Amino acid sequence: MGKIKFLQCRECKKEYTPTFKYICEDCFGPLDVHYDFPSVNKNTFSNREHTYWRYHELLPIESKSNIVSIGAGMTPLIKAEKLGKALGLNNLYIKNDSMNPTFSFKDRPAGVAVSKAKEFGLSAVGCASTGNLASATAAHAAKGDFPCYIFAPSDIEHAKITQALSYGANFISVDGTYDDANRIAAQIGDSKGIGIVNINMRSYYVEGSKTLAYEVAEQLDWKVPDQLIVPVGSGAMLNAICKGFEELENVSLINQVSNMHMIAAQPHGCAPIVDAFKKNLSEVTPVEIPDTIAKSLAIGDPGDGQYVLRRLQQYNGFAEESNNKEILDAILLLARTEGIFTEPAGGVSVAVLKKMVDEGKIDKNDCTVCYVTGNGLKTTEVMMEVLAKPQVMQADVGKILALVR
Amino acid sequence: MGKIKFLQCRECKKEYTPTFKYICEDCFGPLDVHYDFPSVNKNTFSNREHTYWRYHELLPIESKSNIVSIGAGMTPLIKAEKLGKALGLNNLYIKNDSMNPTFSFKDRPAGVAVSKAKEFGLSAVGCASTGNLASATAAHAAKGDFPCYIFAPSDIEHAKITQALSYGANFISVDGTYDDANRIAAQIGDSKGIGIVNINMRSYYVEGSKTLAYEVAEQLDWKVPDQLIVPVGSGAMLNAICKGFEELENVSLINQVSNMHMIAAQPHGCAPIVDAFKKNLSEVTPVEIPDTIAKSLAIGDPGDGQYVLRRLQQYNGFAEESNNKEILDAILLLARTEGIFTEPAGGVSVAVLKKMVDEGKIDKNDCTVCYVTGNGLKTTEVMMEVLAKPQVMQADVGKILALVR
């Protein structure tokens, strides 16, 4: 008998055997993985490998032999003293998840989903993605020896898919919108039995992101932060982080999870969850045409939107947005204080953190963790526009000396 | 009294007090750091922070309070089973140093040099660089609260310096060659007392790279690999890796270092050390105009060239080159077997590894470590040229189904 107890519908609570299944037959709600957790304690993990697979007992893979790892996870939790000082916080940490093997947090869910595809004996994997997820899925597919199919709209730039193509993925470039690519991926996944990580493998996929909670808890010596700032696109990651902390409390590794505050950060131009939160609604109204530089968060109709709203209620949370100017300023602030170079999604987190401090919603002594989940090298064009090209100097020491303090 | 015993000229062996000094007054030889090492054992390091600063007793910083860390080091040593199988090796490891905070191994030497600049009380830091080192120096300068000056020739593309500019570095864009930029950096460093990490801080700077030996030894449970493949530009890194293994033997953490084999990998078009090695010379003839896609190894007159030749003699080594085609093939091979996306310098290592195996110079059961030191996201344009843009498909499930196995 495996450690997964069952899959359970998040809505109607119907239980299912843990098979290649992701949606409730009765009410179409998402299925979550529930476990029979073994007895663990702090020492269980302390001398393990330095990847998120150190928590394998708490992840939905029954046999360790099915793990497909490229060394992701256990990214640094940086004590951000300089950024903290700039913002007026004494106890600020950055979870720098740009330092994964494919350079975003997506190595977590993609790695778990590809491992589960191996456990299920599937013949191929894939995803619908235009960015970070494509690379994470393709890299894990390469390591796991799976053919990989990436479904994306055809207007995506060649430069943006070069990384994923390098890993050997087959690109299905669809003449249509992202929604078209997504629909085709779902249909092909179902008819060919291909594990589309963010669609028909989603129940297992989202489990990877909860390691962002496990690692932060362990890196804080099994304490729960007071404040967490989480960038939100579909909302799956924020929901998974909450699940992660709850599971650690269930196995008695931490306590007082109910005291933490969850802050959802979205970009202006695609902030449907923030809008719903501020209007005190329980449902999210989709944004028709997202308009933001934070492309990796530009999901107009967030699948987990309503669950994020519930989480914010449950965990005394807030939702806030930041505009393009604030995002760019925040990217530079983070780079110039902590030496961390992030993509716009990371700028959204830091900009919203700043706003929360300015509005007095975070106490300066609170233990605050800000998640930075993607890499600035993937979006250099955004920064090139705001950083002036240096003036050319004559190769004359005397003249150049005058420039140097 | 500190743990640094003295600086010593690598040539005439003259000793110096460890101050802000890097070149022998008598013979102009480079100065190396020698230590009074404390007593250490395997347990000394095992529960330390997961960065290269876990070895702080063996690094040239007297007081821990001067450490400037952005979380670099302890990058994964990946058991490369799929790549090993493709090449015919049973015991191959990749040291994936693309996973550092600024995405190359340069975070090691730059971090040590910037920390030493803090210990010396210098007012600013800088470097002469056109690539990875510029970002590593700028990021550590940001975290350490130093003004940072990057000296580079003016023909460098804006996109290539966006990362370093984001960290707030001052770019001195010199109308001239890299040699001009280098000369001006040296003169300004000396006259203003600025720590130019790869020039006047070089004795301390190179110490950072030896952590590439420490980590591999610890990750192999304190064993020495049989074969090491090291990409070579200036040669400083290969020399530092040898020094690192020797120091670990001196403190009795490992033994039989003299049995290891060092393989120097250079790109065709800039392989002066390979040329000298193959002609059995003890001096390197500079390459006037380097011509290779491996820009980060395109150093025509390698400062440590003669020392690399000595190391290859000392450690039963070889030197080999790979051409552009072989480099590109190797980048794809690594990505498609291990899910690791590297820049051309990493392709040089893997291509030379393949050549060594094909020529029967590596036994299939040897413990072989191949160093991959930089990130493919910094050189996507190189890969775009060899990866075809996917054909656009009509958004029709039936037609697309036919494409999928």
Side-chain angles (χ1 to χ4, degrees):
Chain A
M1 185 177 137
K3 66 198 166 194
I4 300 183
K5 208 155 51 178
F6 45 72
L7 301 181
Q8 187 178 45
C9 175
R10 205 180 292 168
E11 289 299 330
C12 74
K13 307 300 174 196
K14 182 170 175 176
E15 295 174 10
Y16 294 88
T17 339
T19 55
F20 183 24
K21 177 183 278 295
Y22 68 109
I23 208 161
C24 179
E25 288 164 4
D26 290 357
C27 75
F28 306 108
L31 305 184
D32 288 325
V33 184
H34 290 253
Y35 299 83
D36 272 323
F37 284 131
S39 168
V40 292
N41 60 50
K42 295 171 189 183
N43 298 329
T44 307
F45 307 112
S46 54
N47 291 314
R48 293 264 181 93
E49 62 173 318
H50 216 71
T51 74
Y52 63 73
W53 291 107
R54 69 203 273 113
Y55 311 109
H56 63 81
E57 291 94 337
L58 315 180
L59 290 167
I61 311 299
E62 304 291 342
S63 164
K64 279 177 74 177
S65 66
N66 292 319
I67 289 174
V68 177
S69 171
I70 59 172
M74 283 308 272
T75 52
L77 183 72
I78 297 284
K79 183 80 200 280
E81 284 174 2
K82 271 192 78 186
L83 178 60
K85 202 171 167 192
L87 298 178
L89 292 175
N90 295 331
N91 205 6
L92 173 64
Y93 294 85
I94 300 288
K95 179 67 172 169
N96 183 6
D97 226 35
S98 71
M99 282 172 66
N100 275 306
T102 76
F103 315 109
S104 85
F105 86 100
K106 292 284 187 185
D107 281 329
R108 301 174 185 274
V112 169
V114 170
S115 300
K116 195 67 190 177
K118 186 173 174 189
E119 193 151 272
F120 281 148
L122 304 186
S123 61
V125 297
C127 65
S129 166
T130 56
N132 288 330
L133 180 58
S135 289
T137 305
H140 282 90
K143 180 80 176 182
D145 221 3
F146 283 103
C148 180
Y149 297 94
I150 311 287
F151 297 85
S154 58
D155 61 0
I156 190 165
E157 294 161 52
H158 193 194
K160 293 284 172 202
I161 60 174
T162 299
Q163 184 189 2
L165 286 172
S166 294
Y167 299 122
N170 304 291
F171 247 84
I172 313 291
S173 179
V174 177
D175 184 17
T177 63
Y178 179 76
D179 285 341
D180 292 325
N182 207 52
R183 175 178 50 79
I184 287 170
Q187 290 178 314
I188 287 183
D190 286 349
S191 72
K192 290 269 185 177
I194 293 173
I196 307 293
V197 301
N198 56 337
I199 302 179
N200 60 23
M201 298 295 290
R202 196 164 183 85
S203 300
Y204 305 99
Y205 168 85
V206 297
E207 292 293 287
S209 298
K210 74 185 183 185
T211 58
L212 281 165
Y214 294 172
E215 292 179 13
V216 163
E218 183 176 358
Q219 288 167 322
L220 291 174
D221 200 17
W222 303 105
K223 287 198 183 60
V224 182
D226 299 308
Q227 307 278 350
L228 295 104
I229 294 87
V230 178
V232 170
S234 75
M237 187 176 83
L238 185 143
N239 195 52
I241 290 173
C242 293
K243 185 173 190 271
F245 282 110
E246 288 165 358
E247 289 175 348
L248 292 185
E249 188 161 42
N250 287 345
V251 297
S252 305
L253 276 168
I254 55 174
N255 52 45
Q256 299 188 302
V257 170
S258 62
N259 290 345
M260 72 182 183
H261 299 254
M262 267 290 170
I263 299 168
Q266 291 203 295
H268 179 76
C270 190
I273 295 172
V274 175
D275 291 343
F277 176 84
K278 291 190 172 177
K279 289 178 189 153
N280 215 1
L281 303 175
S282 60
E283 296 282 337
V284 171
T285 308
V287 169
E288 287 285 328
I289 301 166
D291 179 17
T292 168
I293 57 170
K295 300 289 178 211
S296 63
L297 300 181
I299 298 175
D301 189 5
D304 281 78
Q306 57 172 314
Y307 304 112
V308 170
L309 292 170
R310 290 188 209 169
R311 292 300 197 179
L312 297 181
Q313 282 245 318
Q314 187 184 0
Y315 292 110
N316 321 296
F318 286 98
E320 191 51 88
E321 63 179 33
S322 52
N323 64 33
N324 286 352
K325 166 84 170 58
E326 292 164 336
I327 293 169
L328 293 168
D329 287 347
I331 291 174
L332 292 179
L333 179 64
L334 179 64
R336 291 169 183 199
T337 51
E338 299 300 328
I340 294 171
F341 185 50
T342 186
E343 64 174 17
V348 171
S349 300
V350 174
V352 165
L353 167 65
K354 181 173 187 313
K355 214 169 262 192
M356 291 283 115
V357 178
D358 290 348
E359 290 175 7
K361 288 182 176 133
I362 295 180
D363 186 275
K364 69 177 180 186
N365 295 318
D366 278 355
C367 175
T368 301
V369 172
C370 182
Y371 284 93
V372 165
T373 52
N375 189 308
L377 289 175
K378 298 193 183 190
T379 53
T380 45
E381 74 287 356
V382 169
M383 299 315 294
M384 271 173 74
E385 285 177 26
V386 292
L387 294 165
K389 199 168 179 200
Q391 275 214 319
V392 178
M393 295 291 301
Q394 208 183 314
D396 178 313
V397 174
K399 286 187 181 153
I400 292 175
L401 259 178
L403 284 184
V404 174
R405 270 187 282 177
Chain B
M1 185 176 138
K3 66 198 165 192
I4 299 183
K5 206 152 55 176
F6 46 71
L7 301 181
Q8 187 178 47
C9 175
R10 204 181 292 167
E11 290 298 333
C12 74
K13 307 300 173 195
K14 182 169 175 177
E15 295 174 10
Y16 294 88
T17 340
T19 54
F20 183 23
K21 176 183 278 296
Y22 68 108
I23 208 162
C24 179
E25 289 164 3
D26 290 357
C27 75
F28 305 108
L31 304 184
D32 288 325
V33 183
H34 290 254
Y35 299 82
D36 271 323
F37 283 130
S39 168
V40 293
N41 60 49
K42 296 170 188 183
N43 297 329
T44 307
F45 308 112
S46 53
N47 290 314
R48 294 261 180 95
E49 63 173 317
H50 217 71
T51 75
Y52 64 72
W53 290 108
R54 69 202 274 111
Y55 309 109
H56 63 80
E57 291 94 337
L58 315 180
L59 289 168
I61 310 298
E62 303 291 341
S63 165
K64 280 177 73 177
S65 66
N66 292 319
I67 290 174
V68 177
S69 172
I70 59 173
M74 283 309 272
T75 53
L77 182 72
I78 297 285
K79 183 79 200 280
E81 284 175 2
K82 272 193 77 187
L83 178 60
K85 202 171 167 192
L87 298 177
L89 293 175
N90 296 330
N91 205 5
L92 173 64
Y93 294 85
I94 300 288
K95 179 66 172 169
N96 184 5
D97 227 35
S98 71
M99 282 172 66
N100 275 305
T102 76
F103 315 110
S104 86
F105 86 100
K106 292 285 187 184
D107 281 329
R108 300 174 186 274
V112 170
V114 170
S115 300
K116 196 67 191 179
K118 187 174 174 188
E119 193 151 273
F120 281 147
L122 304 186
S123 61
V125 297
C127 66
S129 166
T130 56
N132 288 329
L133 180 58
S135 290
T137 305
H140 282 89
K143 181 80 176 181
D145 221 2
F146 284 102
C148 180
Y149 296 94
I150 311 288
F151 298 84
S154 58
D155 60 359
I156 190 165
E157 293 161 52
H158 194 193
K160 294 285 171 202
I161 59 173
T162 299
Q163 184 190 0
L165 286 172
S166 294
Y167 299 122
N170 304 290
F171 246 84
I172 313 291
S173 180
V174 177
D175 184 17
T177 63
Y178 179 76
D179 284 343
D180 292 325
N182 206 53
R183 175 177 50 77
I184 287 169
Q187 290 177 315
I188 288 183
D190 287 349
S191 71
K192 289 269 186 177
I194 292 174
I196 306 294
V197 300
N198 57 336
I199 303 178
N200 60 23
M201 298 295 290
R202 196 164 184 85
S203 301
Y204 304 100
Y205 169 85
V206 297
E207 291 294 286
S209 297
K210 74 185 183 186
T211 58
L212 280 165
Y214 295 171
E215 292 179 14
V216 163
E218 183 175 0
Q219 287 167 323
L220 291 174
D221 200 17
W222 303 105
K223 289 197 180 60
V224 183
D226 299 309
Q227 307 278 351
L228 294 105
I229 294 87
V230 179
V232 170
S234 75
M237 187 176 82
L238 185 143
N239 195 52
I241 290 173
C242 293
K243 185 172 190 269
F245 282 111
E246 289 166 357
E247 288 175 346
L248 291 185
E249 188 161 43
N250 287 346
V251 296
S252 305
L253 276 168
I254 56 174
N255 53 43
Q256 300 188 300
V257 170
S258 62
N259 291 345
M260 72 181 183
H261 299 255
M262 267 289 172
I263 299 169
Q266 292 202 296
H268 179 76
C270 189
I273 295 172
V274 175
D275 291 342
F277 177 83
K278 290 190 172 177
K279 289 178 187 151
N280 214 1
L281 303 174
S282 60
E283 297 281 337
V284 170
T285 308
V287 169
E288 288 285 328
I289 302 167
D291 178 17
T292 169
I293 56 170
K295 300 289 178 211
S296 64
L297 300 181
I299 299 175
D301 188 7
D304 281 78
Q306 58 172 313
Y307 304 113
V308 170
L309 291 170
R310 291 188 207 169
R311 292 299 198 180
L312 297 182
Q313 282 244 319
Q314 186 185 2
Y315 291 111
N316 321 295
F318 287 98
E320 193 49 89
E321 64 179 32
S322 52
N323 63 33
N324 287 352
K325 166 83 170 58
E326 293 164 335
I327 293 169
L328 293 168
D329 287 347
I331 291 173
L332 292 180
L333 179 64
L334 179 65
R336 289 169 184 201
T337 51
E338 300 299 330
I340 294 171
F341 185 50
T342 185
E343 65 173 18
V348 171
S349 299
V350 174
V352 164
L353 167 65
K354 182 174 187 311
K355 214 169 262 191
M356 292 281 116
V357 177
D358 291 348
E359 291 174 7
K361 287 179 177 137
I362 295 179
D363 186 274
K364 68 177 180 185
N365 295 317
D366 278 355
C367 175
T368 300
V369 172
C370 183
Y371 284 93
V372 165
T373 52
N375 190 309
L377 288 175
K378 298 193 182 190
T379 53
T380 44
E381 75 287 355
V382 169
M383 299 315 293
M384 272 172 74
E385 285 177 27
V386 292
L387 294 165
K389 200 167 180 207
Q391 276 213 317
V392 178
M393 295 291 301
Q394 209 181 314
D396 178 314
V397 174
K399 286 187 180 153
I400 292 174
L401 259 178
L403 284 183
V404 173
R405 270 187 281 177

